Amino acid sequence: MLRRLYATPEQLAAYLGEPAPDGAERLLTRASEDIDSALLTAVYAVDVDGDPLDARVRATLADAVCAQVEHWLATGDDGTGAGGIWDSVSIGPVSLSGRSGQPPGAGGVELAPRAARALRRAGLEPGVVWRHGDPGTGGAAAPPHHR
């Protein structure tokens, strides 16, 4: 399975305003997978490798991925979904409490609020046809390809 990486550790560092954390590529890969899942039915022009053609789409995907990682870092998650799930946990004799996270969104993934907002602002949402030169609502452009 091809693993697409929408942001680099350097882009993450710029987004965070501090050096990228250890394991940044692993986090960015997981976040890229989440963004792909969230945009499963979004339509935008891609090249033969499946990478977005439009620079604004690439920038939006990078921002969304960085926002996803930022959220994980703030909540103590590592991209597996295990962090921040329970609002209370005990070990003996085992006691778990309510879920503290948001329910999964589109594509079955829980997107960070800033990641979802970045995608929405750009018009990159499931089922939306994004046309080159127009963020979300149409325009004069080559026909989009399914990603």
Side-chain angles (χ1 to χ4, degrees):
M1 175 178 168
L2 177 65
R3 293 194 178 218
R4 190 166 282 108
L5 192 66
Y6 290 123
T8 65
E10 294 78 19
Q11 288 172 303
L12 178 60
Y15 187 90
L16 297 173
E18 59 189 50
D22 290 338
E25 283 198 30
R26 176 181 47 83
L27 292 171
L28 291 167
T29 299
R30 288 179 180 171
S32 294
E33 291 170 354
D34 280 0
I35 298 304
D36 266 348
S37 293
L39 295 178
L40 196 55
T41 61
V43 181
Y44 50 86
V46 297
D47 63 19
V48 295
D49 294 323
D51 295 319
L53 288 174
D54 191 276
R56 285 187 294 173
V57 172
R58 287 191 305 272
T60 297
L61 294 177
D63 282 349
V65 164
C66 290
Q68 188 76 356
V69 172
E70 176 187 48
H71 180 75
W72 292 338
L73 294 172
T75 60
D77 200 344
D78 61 1
T80 63
I85 291 177
W86 303 102
D87 60 9
S88 177
V89 177
S90 299
I91 297 292
V94 183
S95 170
L96 302 172
S97 192
R99 180 175 166 80
S100 61
Q102 300 175 8
V109 297
E110 186 177 322
L111 286 183
R114 291 184 65 189
R117 192 168 45 246
L119 296 173
R120 244 188 342 272
R121 274 195 317 257
L124 285 171
E125 296 178 274
V128 173
V129 175
W130 198 96
R131 299 188 189 277
H132 180 75
D134 181 23
T137 58
H145 303 278
H146 293 280
R147 46 173 215 93

